[in-house]
Amino acid sequence: MDSIWSRIGAMLSSLPSRSLSGFSAVIEAIRTTFRGDPELRKRVGFSVAMIALSAKMARADGVVTQDEVRAFHDIFEVPDGEMRNVQRLYQLAQQDTAGFEAYATQLAGLCGSGDENCLLLEDILDGLFFIAEADGHVHEREIAYLQRIAEIFRIDEVHFKRVLARHAQASDWDPYAVLDLAPDAAFEQVRKRYRSLVAENHPDRLIARGMPADLIAIATSRLAAINAAYEAIERSRVLA
């Protein structure tokens, strides 16, 4: 069975060179090429969203660090023969004069926005945070960029803060925010919420809702943050 990356490569190869002067042509190609397979279109849309918006984020921050490049490759476990297609899309997005807001709007249309497929769009946001924090700090410009992405994706403030909490620096880290709970929540409520989040964010569940299996690093990072938050709360309650 062809991988998601070989399907993206075949799609790019089918486009006339003149069609690739702007990234919008790629997004429209996804819409038409995979019209008959909504699930495959979601997976392709997710992958392309991660590539395009991370490229635009690098421009917003003004610098691409080697740590961010490594994080990008940690997420995209792409066969060597297909990496050129990822690089081609990344460079095209960086060079395109269109703003990231136009991309985000078009990509939300592929993946769904608001209540429909909202969790898949949150997965994209989480992946962008994963890349942003790779150099040890999520910079203010990156947070502003990601908050605007969340607004376009119609991810509400509560969900945005929960994603932000998972990627906060040590001095700002709040385990209750990671689990979206009040600090005075009963421990039974903490345990129930923790179990619900673990089940909801199991890699198989993420793949089922459209995250490509190649991007399992996002799910692993998210589960690690959820586990760490629960363990921190559990320790604090025992010591109290």
Side-chain angles (χ1 to χ4, degrees):
M1 184 177 182
D2 290 341
S3 73
I4 192 85
W5 305 107
S6 62
R7 299 296 294 271
I8 290 173
M11 178 193 72
L12 291 175
S13 297
S14 69
L15 292 174
S17 297
R18 64 180 181 277
S19 297
L20 290 175
S21 58
F23 207 89
S24 294
V26 175
I27 299 172
E28 184 57 32
I30 296 170
R31 190 187 308 280
T32 56
T33 302
F34 304 105
R35 180 180 290 131
D37 191 339
E39 290 305 309
L40 179 58
R41 186 179 64 187
K42 272 201 305 184
R43 291 194 293 274
V44 172
F46 181 101
S47 303
V48 170
M50 286 297 305
I51 296 167
L53 294 177
S54 62
K56 286 296 188 183
M57 182 169 64
R59 291 201 64 175
D61 185 43
V63 62
V64 181
T65 70
Q66 286 304 307
D67 289 324
E68 288 171 336
V69 171
R70 280 192 290 271
F72 185 85
H73 287 286
D74 283 344
I75 291 178
F76 291 97
E77 296 180 7
V78 186
D80 290 341
E82 301 294 341
M83 182 54 75
R84 66 185 184 280
N85 292 316
V86 174
Q87 293 168 339
R88 185 181 183 190
L89 287 170
Y90 189 88
Q91 290 167 0
L92 181 61
Q94 278 202 316
Q95 294 165 5
D96 193 357
T97 57
F100 74 91
E101 292 174 324
Y103 282 14
T105 301
Q106 290 176 289
L107 290 163
L110 289 177
C111 302
S113 59
D115 293 334
E116 182 183 1
N117 298 332
C118 181
L119 291 176
L120 179 57
L121 295 172
E122 189 175 321
D123 294 338
I124 294 171
L125 185 67
D126 214 6
L128 293 171
F129 264 108
F130 182 86
I131 293 171
E133 71 173 340
D135 60 358
H137 184 69
V138 183
H139 301 278
E140 289 185 6
R141 280 178 295 181
E142 290 171 325
I143 292 175
Y145 173 90
L146 294 167
Q147 189 159 23
R148 181 60 185 136
I149 293 292
E151 291 170 358
I152 295 169
F153 282 178
R154 294 165 61 188
I155 295 172
D156 62 34
E157 190 69 15
V158 171
H159 282 79
F160 179 79
K161 286 182 177 178
R162 191 170 72 189
V163 177
L164 176 61
R166 288 200 290 264
H167 300 277
Q169 307 310 307
S171 59
D172 301 322
W173 189 65
D174 180 358
Y176 290 96
V178 174
L179 302 185
D180 194 18
L181 290 170
D184 60 353
F187 189 67
E188 185 54 41
Q189 183 182 359
V190 173
R191 183 184 290 113
K192 183 177 180 180
R193 177 65 174 160
Y194 165 71
R195 289 173 176 170
S196 173
L197 285 174
V198 168
E200 180 183 308
N201 291 286
H202 188 281
D204 289 345
R205 290 284 296 274
L206 301 186
I207 291 169
R209 72 184 185 222
M211 180 188 287
D214 309 70
L215 309 186
I216 213 64
I218 297 173
T220 302
S221 173
R222 183 182 300 178
L223 277 177
I226 292 169
N227 287 330
Y230 177 74
E231 290 166 6
I233 294 171
E234 186 177 41
R235 283 195 304 270
S236 70
R237 297 297 177 94
V238 170
L239 295 173

